[in-house]
Amino acid sequence: MPFYKQMLGKKLTIQDLESIDPEFYNSLMWIKENNIEECGLEMFFSVDQETLGVLSNHELTPGGEDKAVTEENKEEYVEMMTQWRFKRGVEEQTKAFLDGFNEVVPLHWLQFFDERELELMLCGMQELHVGEWEKHTVYRNYTRNSKQIVWFWQV
């Protein structure tokens, strides 16, 4: 679902994070729900990231290594961490996918859908209820008893 939201250009939220990384989501929710100053946590607006065994530091905001997370700015920190988690290391791949997809189906055509409808359009339904489909079919230039229609439902 979060990727479909990205395709639609919608902002990703911490609730979207729960479906792809429950542990990270729970950690951020703990920060939101608790007084971090009382816990004595020393957090800053930067995050360490390991890529292929190499540890690097990423500042969430310019000067983030020196900007402490406080009770007053923890919402901003949680928001930045959420966005970082969705984008870390995949910005180029996501852009390349969207550029390619846009060549086949212009992305502005998708703006009429929400993320659930987009998933349904791209992936289809997991289960087909043929009886419901047949029951609600509207026929044009055919009737329910037309030879081709009878064959279709038999198949």
Side-chain angles (χ1 to χ4, degrees):
M1 233 16 92
F3 189 72
Y4 298 125
K5 283 180 82 171
Q6 278 185 305
M7 288 180 72
L8 296 169
K10 293 185 176 182
K11 185 177 182 187
L12 297 168
T13 66
I14 192 170
Q15 284 70 33
D16 297 315
L17 189 57
E18 184 175 20
S19 66
I20 64 160
D21 194 340
E23 287 181 34
F24 196 77
Y25 166 81
N26 288 335
S27 297
L28 292 180
M29 288 304 294
W30 188 91
I31 291 169
K32 281 183 76 161
E33 295 168 355
N34 292 281
N35 187 324
I36 60 169
E37 292 173 356
E38 289 178 359
C39 299
L41 296 176
E42 283 193 26
M43 296 187 307
F44 297 89
F45 278 76
S46 66
V47 61
D48 290 332
Q49 176 179 347
E50 183 179 337
T51 307
L52 301 173
V54 177
L55 191 63
S56 62
N57 185 277
H58 173 77
E59 290 185 329
L60 299 172
T61 186
E65 279 187 337
D66 300 319
K67 182 178 179 182
V69 178
T70 64
E71 237 356 77
E72 290 76 36
N73 66 16
K74 73 179 183 181
E75 288 288 330
E76 178 185 9
Y77 172 79
V78 168
E79 172 64 24
M80 288 181 167
M81 285 294 285
T82 300
Q83 297 309 313
W84 171 81
R85 176 58 184 86
F86 280 116
K87 294 177 182 173
R88 69 172 185 196
V90 295
E91 294 98 339
E92 289 179 39
Q93 293 90 334
T94 301
K95 183 181 178 336
F97 174 83
L98 293 177
D99 289 346
F101 190 90
N102 188 52
E103 289 182 19
V104 178
V105 178
L107 292 172
H108 67 271
W109 288 1
L110 303 180
Q111 299 309 307
F112 300 104
F113 301 101
D114 68 17
E115 57 274 10
R116 293 183 201 313
E117 293 168 330
L118 181 59
E119 178 187 36
L120 185 60
M121 183 178 71
L122 295 177
C123 301
M125 296 177 67
Q126 299 297 332
E127 295 180 23
L128 280 177
H129 299 285
V130 177
E132 287 294 311
W133 184 17
E134 183 178 5
K135 181 178 166 184
H136 296 287
T137 299
V138 176
Y139 300 99
R140 293 188 187 105
N141 302 321
Y142 291 94
T143 68
R144 170 68 186 103
N145 297 321
S146 297
K147 181 173 48 174
Q148 298 87 344
I149 300 301
V150 171
W151 290 341
F152 177 82
W153 293 120
Q154 285 175 344
V155 171

